[in-house]
Amino acid sequence: MGVTRRVFLQAAVAVGAAGSIGAAETAAAGSANAASAPGDVVGKVTVGYQGWFACIGDGAPINGWWHWTQNWGQTPSPSNTGIKCWPDMREYAHGYQTGYASLGNGQPATLFSSYDQQTVDTHFLWLQQNGIDTAALQRFNPTGGEGPTRDAMAVKVRSAAESHGRKFYVMYDVSGWSNMQSEIKADWTNKMQAHTASPAYAVQNGKPVVCIWGFGFNDDNHPFSTAACLDVINWFKAQGCYVIGGVPREWRTGGAGTRSGYADVYHAFNMISPWMVGAIGNAGDSDNAYNTYTVGDQADCNAHGIDYQPCVLPGDVSARQRAHGDFMWRQFYNVVRAGVQGVYISMFDEFNEGNQIAKTAESQAWTPTNSGFLALDEDGTACSSDYYLRLTGDGGRMLKGQIALTATRPTPPVVTGGGDTTPPTAPGNLHVTAHTGTSVTLAWTASTDNVGVTGYRIRSVSGSTATVVGTTGSNTTAYTVTGLNPSTGYTYDVQALDAAGGISQASNRVTATTDAGTPPPATNLALHRPTSESSHTQVYGSGNATDGDTDSYWESANNAFPQWIQVDLGSALGVKRLVLNLPPATAWATRSQTLSVQGSTDGGSFSQLLGSAAHTFDPASGNTATVTLPATVTTRYVRLTFTANTGWPAAQLSEFQVFGA
């Protein structure tokens, strides 16, 4: 289980002129000179994204109630919980039943799984709707049992960022990572680096962004020497990366939280992001931190040509820290007036620490009656479930100069006096305006809402199952579905969304048949696409199987069948044929690998596309095997499951090619 950072950082901010605004304000306001021009982290708001919740039955390799509970093998309940507050579940397509009593409104107490692609898509839709720029995907030690699930989450986050016009980057948390110095390099090289090919991967100063959280902390979970830290930082720089450091708040001042003698480590980073969770809990603490840390930190970063990205947190709901947004806004005000280069939100989905900005139960009507959880209205002020998303969006606008610097919170806790409890009307007159051999264009009449429609989601309907295939903004009432097969019928409907999480009834359904036509040319749909795996050995990660190089290869853990590898095609596409390669060198003797093929549209539940069979790889004929499906299928994720290999006790593959015909 990944350890939350808070357990290391409970000390209060150093005693000082708490709540006072000293002469430093005048000296610091507007004085900072950014080391870097605006990019995907400079001049932007980044949210920490855990993506670490799973449920039994969701298809995740970890197969447990990951982070929802103390005992992941048992159902969440009041006696087995790992969270401090309850999520607003209204926009998730699938909820998993818990052992809690029903919500106060009588609805069942269900929880989401981060492993469901629709969950991640929903989260990134919220970022898009609220103008929040970038997500930092947390990646703890991936070499243990959590690794395959974390690998899959990287693929899902990439997909959601691409679909919703957001940026993302990998943020390694090195807490408790014994062999960090070598393994973090191997993980980047063999797995995570492949995601930098995505147009959604965050870039700063022309370089892909990576963050390392945990160097310099003075506790047993972060024992890394200055030499080891500098070696890792400089290695990532040598790979062409822009490197952010998640560091102790006392990195500059010294104190109990930081190891001594680490100044060179901190100054080696391109950006510094001090951690504040557990150190501040009210507006007065924020003012003290401004004088004690922020002003001096910014000056030090300016002097060393380093960008500065302090934390802003909403506050722990269970500790009644939030003060209906005033605590968080005071932090925004303090860091923006200090002239910081970026802001890091701690966190997006940290229900474990109660510090999440994701949509949260707004009143006891939306929490389990026997849970004891507080809701966002705990201090008597009604707050809509999306309030802290909206507040974060406004903080970002202040950072960018789109609204004036102000100590007065501009964001209302609810959009209207009583909150928005009415969902939008259903979109009207859904109809097909055009179609080709591979696409269908839809249009509809706009929905209405008592506050305002924030967007639409387009769903492909098959029987009783509806799968979201796209989303639009509030002013867009048309959408083109691409990647379809010729001469095939497809059925769609559309739903409208509002800022409070309301979802309309579905529109009318329409069915369209794509045009007949020549199948698309033989394009390898898997080339440079992200992969995930059940395991790998040494440096032979699954990313090697889609890099276009037949000399590099994936090899699973040895003597541990079954093993699997899968590729994310980016959207649901027609798939008919797979071409599988091993390295062409004659040193690879002829062998037979037994494998089956599965497909999935959401990355969660897979169906069998082709049963298990042996396939021969012979260097004399190119060391390749072609696998043809009985019929063209529409799928986004293609998985190969290996159960035997006559040449080596592991699954092996140098290229995993996927074709539509």
Side-chain angles (χ1 to χ4, degrees), residues 41 44-46 309-312 332 335 340-345 399:
V41 289
K44 299 296 193 296
V45 170
T46 296
Q309 184 200 52
C311 290
V312 167
F332 269 120
V335 299
V340 303
Q341 281 70 66
V343 171
Y344 180 85
I345 304 298
L399 172 72

Side-chain angles (χ1 to χ4, degrees), residues 141 143 176-185 224:
N141 180 354
T143 62
W177 192 345
S178 299
N179 299 316
M180 177 278 303
Q181 189 174 355
S182 61
E183 291 176 351
I184 196 173
K185 299 173 187 177
F224 316 109

Side-chain angles (χ1 to χ4, degrees), residues 522-558:
T523 298
N524 178 11
L525 306 175
L527 184 62
H528 301 308
R529 294 302 305 169
T531 62
S532 54
E533 62 189 33
S534 54
S535 67
H536 73 274
T537 189
Q538 299 180 36
V539 298
Y540 305 113
S542 59
N544 292 340
T546 59
D547 64 0
D549 180 1
T550 54
D551 288 322
S552 66
Y553 63 95
W554 166 68
E555 182 176 311
S556 73
N558 288 194

Side-chain angles (χ1 to χ4, degrees), residues 543-608:
N544 292 340
T546 59
D547 64 0
D549 180 1
T550 54
D551 288 322
S552 66
Y553 63 95
W554 166 68
E555 182 176 311
S556 73
N558 288 194
N559 301 300
F561 287 115
Q563 295 287 332
W564 57 265
I565 181 174
Q566 74 184 43
V567 60
D568 175 8
L569 303 181
S571 61
L573 301 174
V575 173
K576 174 65 175 177
R577 179 170 55 96
L578 313 178
V579 177
L580 312 179
N581 300 89
L582 288 179
T586 55
W588 285 72
T590 300
R591 68 200 62 205
S592 175
Q593 297 195 78
T594 302
L595 59 92
S596 57
V597 184
Q598 295 80 38
S600 172
T601 57
D602 61 7
S605 54
F606 283 79
S607 60
Q608 191 84 328

Side-chain angles (χ1 to χ4, degrees), residues 298-317:
Q298 183 64 73
D300 186 284
C301 287
N302 290 348
H304 290 86
I306 298 170
D307 299 317
Y308 186 49
Q309 184 200 52
C311 290
V312 167
L313 51 138
D316 179 358
V317 174

Side-chain angles (χ1 to χ4, degrees), residues 493-512:
D493 65 22
V494 177
Q495 293 176 309
L497 311 172
D498 67 19
I503 304 173
S504 76
Q505 295 293 316
S507 69
N508 59 294
R509 292 181 177 178
V510 295
T511 298

Side-chain angles (χ1 to χ4, degrees), residues 59-328:
I62 204 162
N63 191 32
W65 291 95
W66 195 32
H67 290 280
W68 287 125
T69 60
Q70 294 295 320
N71 182 338
W72 297 350
Q74 295 182 2
T75 305
S77 68
S79 61
N80 184 36
T81 187
I83 59 175
K84 291 187 173 182
C85 47
W86 198 260
D88 179 353
M89 289 293 297
R90 283 175 283 185
E91 292 183 53
Y92 299 104
H94 188 69
Y96 296 82
Q97 184 62 51
T98 71
Y100 285 94
S102 296
L103 306 184
N105 58 20
Q107 296 184 16
T110 62
L111 291 168
F112 66 80
S113 168
S114 302
Y115 197 75
D116 290 338
Q117 183 67 53
Q118 190 269 343
T119 294
V120 189
D121 285 336
T122 297
H123 290 165
F124 276 73
L125 175 62
W126 295 346
L127 297 181
Q128 180 185 36
Q129 290 171 338
N130 291 280
I132 302 170
D133 308 289
T134 303
L137 174 63
Q138 311 299 287
R139 188 165 175 83
F140 291 77
N141 180 354
T143 62
E146 297 183 1
T149 303
R150 290 195 179 277
D151 293 348
M153 289 311 306
V155 175
K156 295 173 191 293
V157 165
R158 172 177 175 167
S159 170
E162 291 173 351
S163 298
H164 295 91
R166 302 299 93 185
K167 300 295 183 176
F168 78 103
Y169 61 86
V170 173
M171 183 171 178
Y172 286 105
D173 188 319
V174 299
S175 302
W177 192 345
S178 299
N179 299 316
M180 177 278 303
Q181 189 174 355
S182 61
E183 291 176 351
I184 196 173
K185 299 173 187 177
D187 184 74
W188 179 258
T189 300
N190 299 324
K191 293 184 177 182
M192 293 299 102
Q193 187 177 37
H195 294 298
T196 65
S198 169
Y201 197 88
V203 173
Q204 183 62 50
N205 302 348
K207 301 175 180 181
V209 176
V210 66
C211 181
I212 305 167
W213 192 98
F215 286 172
F217 284 89
N218 189 20
D219 59 70
D220 292 341
N221 276 280
H222 305 88
F224 316 109
S225 68
T226 56
C229 295
L230 284 167
D231 172 66
V232 170
I233 296 168
N234 290 327
W235 182 87
F236 273 101
K237 285 184 170 181
Q239 310 310 303
C241 295
Y242 174 96
V243 188
I244 304 173
V247 302
R249 67 180 179 276
E250 306 99 328
W251 68 275
R252 175 186 57 84
T253 61
T258 180
R259 294 177 182 271
S260 60
Y262 276 66
D264 288 346
V265 171
Y266 300 140
H267 288 140
F269 288 113
N270 299 113
M271 174 178 267
I272 286 178
S273 185
W275 187 245
M276 293 301 293
V277 174
I280 60 175
N282 56 54
D285 289 346
S286 176
D287 290 345
N288 188 22
Y290 170 82
N291 287 312
T292 304
Y293 301 118
T294 308
V295 174
D297 285 0
Q298 183 64 73
D300 186 284
C301 287
N302 290 348
H304 290 86
I306 298 170
D307 299 317
Y308 186 49
Q309 184 200 52
C311 290
V312 167
L313 51 138
D316 179 358
V317 174
S318 68
R320 301 181 184 271
Q321 293 178 342
R322 297 200 172 197
H324 49 272
D326 288 347
F327 173 46
M328 189 177 195

